[in-house]
Amino acid sequence: MTRIFSGIKPTGHLTLGNYLGALRRWVEVDQHQSDALFSVVDLHALTMEHDPARVRRLSRQAATLMLAAGLDPERCTVFVQSHVDEHARLSYLLECTATDGELRRMIQYKEKGAQARATGQSVRMSLLTYPVLMAADILAYGADEVPVGDDQAQHVELTRDLAVRFNQRYGHTFTVPKATHPPVAARVMDLQDPASKMGKSRESGAGIVYLLDDADMVRKKIMRAVTDSGREVEYDRESRPGIANLLEILASCEGGNPNEFAGVYESYGALKKDTAEAVVELLRPVRERHAELAADPGHVDDVLRKGAERARGMARPRVDAAYRAIGLLPA
């Protein structure tokens, strides 16, 4: 059975982009067709300036929303990254395999490093090396596939390179994984800035639909979405990114092709209204189930504890083998 690994970083409240680009596929496809591991990758939240209490709060919220969206602990492994020591253990070995040059070429390092410098912050070494930790997240479990958005494809390529390099130098140890992408809405864009991803860590939330936004807030944000010049509803990512974003969101909610939906509407207002209602109905059961789970934190803790135990049992033999292969004495 194909094994997959994917994770969510607790750097902000989860968004519609997280749901359409990742969570829904995990729930509807991956947990049924694969030996699947899904993690709250909290160690990755430490690469930038952060509030410790907020990281803990968002980590619990992310785990609760993953379960609320429909991940079934009887079908898949749900856990918190820092609860499994093998991630950090393997990360150092892969740092000894990676090169400075290939890490400095990572697009996200360049972008986030520039953002940190622009606000007067120092750039943490972990920001440079976190793609190696991401590689460890994947390789520790022998994952065959990694469901990711377009913005993470470069990191999966690095993971593949590190696996091949380690195997060639020290003997076959790791499975070489491949990235997989959902067919529609792999990258939902900000409603106020359709050239930018709908990211959970953006400062302004005006263009971001959060999974826990109430129905009125969802409608308000979508009705105020930035559109493009002209009046015809056409699906064109290059010349009409605002309308294209709305069409992709609607197509993802309803099932279908953005081009087909474009032919249905004669006005931007009608498209916005239908998109808003589609999103409200899509997220309603997630919000309701989240409220139930949040009222029973002991249940969530139990799921995460059992998930970490299961993940640890999968990862430890492979990481131990990597320690032996690279030349370290067994304990």
Side-chain angles (χ1 to χ4, degrees):
M1 195 174 191
T2 299
R3 177 171 290 177
I4 67 168
F5 175 93
S6 199
I8 286 180
K9 184 164 58 175
T11 52
H13 301 287
L14 299 190
T15 72
L16 177 66
N18 296 126
Y19 185 79
L20 292 179
L23 267 174
R24 187 168 67 168
R25 178 181 172 84
W26 297 357
V27 169
E28 296 179 354
V29 179
D30 294 331
Q31 69 172 338
H32 299 285
Q33 298 182 357
S34 309
D35 180 9
L37 298 103
F38 302 111
S39 179
V40 179
V41 287
D42 53 344
L43 294 175
H44 290 293
L46 310 184
T47 60
M48 303 289 283
E49 192 68 32
H50 64 277
D51 172 19
R54 185 171 187 266
V55 171
R56 283 191 291 270
R57 184 171 66 253
L58 290 176
S59 295
R60 173 173 289 281
Q61 184 185 90
T64 305
L65 279 168
M66 288 161 68
L67 298 174
L71 289 183
D72 181 356
E74 298 299 318
R75 292 182 176 274
C76 63
T77 303
V78 181
F79 68 104
V80 175
Q81 177 194 33
S82 64
H83 294 175
V84 180
D85 294 344
E86 278 62 35
H87 292 255
R89 289 180 62 208
L90 181 56
S91 183
Y92 181 72
L93 298 195
L94 296 179
E95 283 186 18
C96 296
T97 308
T99 67
D100 174 78
E102 62 191 345
L103 294 183
R104 292 188 186 278
R105 287 194 294 272
M106 295 290 107
I107 294 172
Q108 289 208 6
Y109 170 71
K110 294 179 180 180
E111 292 178 347
K112 292 184 178 181
Q115 292 171 5
R117 294 185 190 97
T119 57
Q121 299 179 28
S122 58
V123 180
R124 300 184 180 189
M125 182 59 67
S126 56
L127 184 62
L128 177 66
T129 60
Y130 96 86
V132 178
L133 176 58
M134 179 176 171
D137 298 338
I138 298 163
L139 297 180
Y141 298 102
D144 303 289
E145 297 180 358
V146 189
V148 292
D150 295 340
D151 58 328
Q152 292 292 333
Q154 187 185 35
H155 292 158
V156 179
E157 285 305 309
L158 174 67
T159 301
R160 290 170 54 84
D161 291 342
L162 294 179
V164 169
R165 190 177 306 155
F166 192 100
N167 289 345
Q168 289 175 343
R169 289 179 180 175
Y170 309 115
H172 185 79
T173 307
F174 298 118
T175 300
V176 181
K178 66 177 181 179
T180 59
H181 308 278
V184 178
R187 196 170 189 185
V188 178
M189 311 308 279
D190 190 290
L191 295 171
Q192 292 298 315
D193 180 13
S196 300
K197 176 184 172 183
M198 186 182 282
K200 58 184 177 294
S201 56
R202 287 174 68 91
E203 291 184 4
S204 172
I208 303 171
V209 174
Y210 296 107
L211 297 189
L212 296 180
D213 281 344
D214 63 33
D216 288 342
M217 180 59 69
V218 171
R219 294 186 182 100
K220 179 179 179 180
K221 289 179 177 179
I222 293 178
M223 293 305 294
R224 291 183 177 179
V226 168
T227 51
D228 314 295
S229 59
R231 295 184 177 181
E232 294 184 4
V233 178
E234 296 178 342
Y235 180 63
D236 187 328
R237 260 290 178 195
E238 296 299 320
S239 64
R240 297 193 173 184
I243 291 300
N245 191 37
L246 291 171
L247 288 168
E248 287 195 356
I249 292 171
L250 180 59
S252 293
C253 291
E254 298 288 351
N257 186 291
N259 276 305
E260 296 173 354
F261 280 97
V264 172
Y265 295 95
E266 297 182 355
S267 71
Y268 292 171
L271 171 61
K272 287 182 176 182
K273 183 177 179 181
D274 283 1
T275 302
E277 292 308 315
V279 172
V280 166
E281 291 308 311
L282 181 75
L283 298 185
R284 188 188 307 280
V286 178
R287 289 199 309 273
E288 292 174 351
R289 179 59 178 152
H290 175 270
E292 295 173 1
L293 290 169
D296 186 10
H299 171 69
V300 176
D301 287 342
D302 188 55
V303 168
L304 297 178
R305 179 181 56 78
K306 291 178 179 177
E309 290 175 355
R310 191 183 310 157
R312 196 176 301 116
M314 295 182 200
R316 182 164 293 171
R318 187 170 288 100
V319 176
D320 285 347
Y323 267 60
R324 292 191 298 271
I326 206 170
L328 300 177
L329 284 172

